[in-house]
Amino acid sequence: MTENLQLNSDGKLKHFLTIEGLDKALLTEILDTAESFAGMSEQQVKKVPLLRGKTIVNLFFENSTRTRTTFELAAIRLSADVINMNIATSATSKGESLLDTIRNLEAMFVDMFVVRHATSGAAHFIAQHTAPHVSVINAGDGQHSHPTQAMLDMFTIRQIKKEFAPLRVAIIGDILHSRVARSQILALNTLGAAEIRVIAPKTLLPAHVETLGVNVFHNLTEGLKDIDVVIMLRLQKERMTSALLPSESEYFKCFGLTPAKLKIAKPDAIVMHPGPINRGVEIDTRVADGAQSVILQQVSNGIAVRMAVMSMAMQARGNG
């Protein structure tokens, strides 16, 4: 991934494909811009005219409810026109290549593609081949990257904890298949978190994961000590090509977050989850709905962060 593909000649965000290659100043600019949109959902008029007259196409080749809805709401609140492509009935499903689909949509003078795809690198491929006047936002590609999810998680952490420098963050669960975890680790390291731990069985960790700048734990009790932020991950059974766990009940027994295990972390630790939640598999309902959970706050923040990314990318297009 080259830095220049995401940035214009002035170093501004033109596409948002991955956290990789973006510096602390740019990530902070995304968080600050999101802050300016954060209170809008509670206002009587929930719109600003920043993207009036612009057309955004949601290209979701993978199923998604929450992510697509928050992208759509974000675009509507920026006053853009939004088209949700029905991939199941699109020309792509009839044999047309991805590139031909993109070319045809470009000919309709769209301004931005929001892309989710099961193949790692799909959003990058589209950004490489799309017309200069079109921005591409990655809404999750394969096991590679989910940058807007990572940034809404960073935004939520900053809202509550204020600074990243003193924080110890634990990411727990299916790291191997998680594009969210990779983006979170990159963002936390860039923003200067004191320590990032990954806690998982060996079968759910990528090879050489420590090279990402994390400390590795295989025991939840040991890994949660002195933690400020607990991020639980969903078991992505649809991506598992072989049996990586004895059973879900055994996994919950060893790595599921219960009220008793949460007490090992700091008393003011927050609990996060990018969703969708598998209650009783990776997290106990009493924790998911408990006082330390900020899971629904993450969902709300998704709109503000996606508004920030869309508006910044659109504003940067004029300078190539």
Side-chain angles (χ1 to χ4, degrees):
M1 188 69 61
T2 61
E3 184 178 349
N4 287 341
L5 182 62
Q6 295 200 86
L7 305 179
N8 71 5
S9 56
D10 292 333
K12 300 294 185 183
L13 194 69
K14 179 182 177 184
H15 305 293
F16 194 34
L17 309 174
T18 174
I19 302 293
E20 189 177 0
L22 303 183
D23 61 19
K24 183 177 180 180
L26 188 49
L27 297 191
T28 303
E29 184 183 353
I30 293 172
L31 298 179
D32 291 344
T33 307
E35 187 72 49
S36 70
F37 294 126
M40 186 174 296
S41 297
E42 298 165 13
Q43 296 175 4
Q44 191 169 3
V45 178
K46 300 180 175 60
K47 275 193 174 185
V48 291
L50 287 174
L51 300 189
R52 181 178 293 161
K54 304 299 184 185
T55 303
I56 295 172
V57 178
N58 285 331
L59 280 171
F60 276 59
F61 296 89
E62 265 191 339
N63 290 330
S64 166
T65 301
R66 181 178 47 254
T67 301
R68 200 187 77 172
T69 302
T70 53
F71 266 112
E72 186 172 355
L73 271 176
I76 290 170
R77 289 181 183 173
L78 290 166
S79 301
D81 298 315
V82 187
I83 298 170
N84 291 308
M85 288 287 293
N86 188 345
I87 301 302
T89 58
S90 74
T92 303
S93 68
K94 299 172 185 172
E96 184 177 79
S97 74
L98 177 59
L99 210 49
D100 284 335
T101 299
I102 297 303
R103 293 275 186 264
N104 279 283
L105 290 168
E106 282 176 355
M108 301 174 198
F109 300 101
V110 304
D111 298 282
M112 176 178 285
F113 294 124
V114 177
V115 180
R116 169 168 284 199
H117 202 287
T119 303
S120 298
H124 182 234
F125 175 81
I126 292 172
Q128 277 182 314
H129 292 89
T130 198
H133 68 276
V134 179
S135 291
V136 178
I137 308 296
N138 185 3
D141 63 326
Q143 296 173 207
H144 171 238
S145 184
H146 197 349
T148 60
Q149 176 68 48
M151 290 311 297
L152 75 87
D153 295 336
M154 298 306 110
F155 185 75
T156 306
I157 291 171
R158 195 178 76 162
Q159 268 187 333
I160 299 164
K161 298 294 184 182
K162 309 305 179 190
E163 295 184 12
F164 289 93
L167 296 182
R168 288 189 169 87
V169 180
I171 304 174
I172 302 164
D174 188 359
I175 314 290
L176 178 63
H177 301 98
S178 177
R179 55 197 174 203
V180 176
R182 283 169 176 75
S183 295
Q184 289 168 336
I185 290 167
L186 284 166
L188 286 164
N189 274 321
T190 303
L191 291 167
E195 183 186 5
I196 307 164
R197 300 177 189 173
V198 294
I199 308 173
K202 291 179 181 177
T203 52
L204 293 182
L205 285 171
H208 312 297
V209 65
E210 62 279 358
T211 61
L212 297 175
V214 300
N215 293 323
V216 179
F217 290 77
H218 302 299
N219 182 294
L220 185 59
T221 302
E222 294 175 4
L224 281 174
K225 192 173 187 306
D226 298 325
I227 284 295
D228 300 280
V229 178
V230 182
I231 302 177
M232 302 304 296
L233 298 176
R234 180 175 68 88
L235 272 184
Q236 301 194 37
K237 290 177 284 187
E238 74 277 12
R239 297 184 189 277
M240 296 181 188
T241 55
S242 60
L244 299 177
L245 298 167
S247 67
E248 288 184 355
S249 59
E250 186 67 19
Y251 177 80
F252 183 70
K253 181 180 176 183
C254 296
F255 293 96
L257 189 63
T258 62
K261 290 175 182 170
L262 181 56
K263 286 181 180 177
I264 300 167
K266 287 186 177 178
D268 63 346
I270 58 173
V271 176
M272 309 178 73
H273 194 306
I277 298 172
N278 291 319
R279 295 172 185 263
V281 177
E282 65 253 1
I283 190 167
D284 188 295
T285 286
R286 293 168 292 173
V287 176
D289 300 334
Q292 290 170 261
S293 170
V294 297
I295 295 171
L296 292 179
Q297 190 170 336
Q298 289 175 264
V299 177
S300 298
N301 287 337
I303 300 171
V305 168
R306 283 160 181 147
M307 287 176 73
V309 170
M310 286 175 161
S311 61
M312 288 170 62
M314 206 70 85
Q315 288 164 7
R317 295 185 322 164
N319 295 320

